[in-house]
């Protein structure tokens, strides 16, 4: 088996070199081959993953060594192929890894050890999970619109300028965005499903909203949790939609949104949750939507999306 380690050299974990050195030592005594590929620019991880998947198929495992940006790109390169992805959370936020490894603080050394990358017996399975297709692109974690996207954009700029802040940069970005208007306008026509599997439509031509998160997984923005009960292979997407609100109403909602306890019961009638299968979201005035996918901003004025069932093979710990 070939293990293709795609490494983001500027990902946040300071112990990355130490861990990878131990992995290299372990591979010297194995029949498996370790291949290291470092990314240099945006899009490299997706391109490299796709190349190896095309050449080796199920005879290789692509290891995403970085944060959510690297995971996003590798997932895009491996979608609909026979090649599994293994995630080593070397980033600062590691939001998708929080869901995958079922903890808000993934322990990198434990994860590497249990995958057998330090030697010993591996303790993992390969499962198929869903993805979100949006305008022909791939989302593995969360796609969102509104104030959370603006926070993500500002947080990313702060993190790039002050690297030592790590994911705290996103926390610092919250207040400047909240001090602006929390009323945005969006149109949507989405196909939903209730808890009993009954389908229904949710439509708005000009919705006054604060944020709209469409979730394959649970966490984003450095740890906010709009969909605590999301399931990666259930064929549906969880959503959280918040009406346009005042700062006074928004402030007490933030800790709940972070803890995963924000819902209709705890936040009142301005908070809406449910399940989506597909749909269309558009900008009312034709300008670019304030939106992002897996933390990466996009400038579409309209997004067509759908859940793609079991579209990615991924390594999960037993």
């Amino acid at each position: 088996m070939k293990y293709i380690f795609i490494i983001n050299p500027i990902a946040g974990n300071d112990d990355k070199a130490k861990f990878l050195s131990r992995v290299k030592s372990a591979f010297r005594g194995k029949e498996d081959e370790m291949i290291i590929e470092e990314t240099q620019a945006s899009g490299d991880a997706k391109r490299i993953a796709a190349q190896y998947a095309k050449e080796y198929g199920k005879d290789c495992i692509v290891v995403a060594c970085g944060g959510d940006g690297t995971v996003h790109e590798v997932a895009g390169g491996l979608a609909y192929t026979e090649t599994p992805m293994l995630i080593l959370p070397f980033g600062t936020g590691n939001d998708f890894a929080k869901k995958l490894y079922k903890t808000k603080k993934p322990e990198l050394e434990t994860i590497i050890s249990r995958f057998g990358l330090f030697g010993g017996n591996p303790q993992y399975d390969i499962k198929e999970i869903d993805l979100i297709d949006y305008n022909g692109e791939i989302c593995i974690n969360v796609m969102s619109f509104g104030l959370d996207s603006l926070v993500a954009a500002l947080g990313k700029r702060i993190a790039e300028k002050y690297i030592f802040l790590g994911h705290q940069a996103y926390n610092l970005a919250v207040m400047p965005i909240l001090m602006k208007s929390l009323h945005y306008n969006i149109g949507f026509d989405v196909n939903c499903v209730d808890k009993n599997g009954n389908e229904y439509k949710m439509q708005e031509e000009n919705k006054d909203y604060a944020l709209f998160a469409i979730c394959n997984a649970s966490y984003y923005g450095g740890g906010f949790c709009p969909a605590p009960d999301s399931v990666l292979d259930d064929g549906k997407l969880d959503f959280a939609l918040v009406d346009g609100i005042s700062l006074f109403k928004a402030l007490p909602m933030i800790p709940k949104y972070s803890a995963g306890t924000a819902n209709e019961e705890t936040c009142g009638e301005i908070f809406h949750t449910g399940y989506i299968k597909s749909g269309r979201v558009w900008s009312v005035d034709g300008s670019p939507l304030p939106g992002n996918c897996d933390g990466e901003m996009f400038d579409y004025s309209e997004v067509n999306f759908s859940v793609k069932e079991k579209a990615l093979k991924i390594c999960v710990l037993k």
Side-chain angles (χ1 to χ4, degrees), residues 186-318:
I186 199 171
F188 55 77
D189 181 356
V190 294
N191 302 304
C192 302
V193 58
D194 64 23
K195 293 181 179 179
N196 297 317
N198 300 310
E199 296 186 3
Y200 65 96
K201 283 271 192 180
M202 188 169 71
Q203 298 171 307
E204 291 278 358
E205 290 289 335
N206 190 354
K207 172 67 175 177
D208 174 27
Y209 81 111
L211 67 85
F212 187 16
I214 300 170
C215 312
N216 188 41
S218 294
Y219 302 95
Y220 74 142
F224 289 98
C225 186
D229 299 320
S230 66
V231 179
L232 293 172
D233 60 353
D234 63 352
K236 57 190 178 184
L237 308 169
D238 296 45
F239 76 82
L241 172 65
V242 181
D243 296 343
I245 52 176
S246 66
L247 177 62
F248 176 76
K249 287 187 176 181
L251 288 175
M253 190 183 297
I254 294 172
K256 298 171 187 176
Y257 200 66
S258 179
T261 58
N263 52 45
E264 291 90 342
E265 184 177 340
T266 62
C267 299
E269 60 184 15
I270 60 173
F271 203 99
H272 316 277
T273 62
Y275 306 104
I276 289 177
K277 302 278 284 188
S278 62
R280 181 169 69 97
V281 179
W282 65 90
S283 168
V284 173
D285 61 5
S287 62
L289 288 160
N292 82 93
C293 167
D294 297 343
E296 302 296 318
M297 299 296 295
F298 53 67
D299 58 1
Y300 297 117
S301 60
E302 179 177 317
V303 172
N304 290 272
F305 70 93
S306 63
V307 61
K308 297 299 181 182
E309 296 187 41
K310 297 178 171 50
L312 177 70
K313 298 183 186 300
I314 197 164
C315 299
V316 296
L317 294 171
K318 292 181 179 179

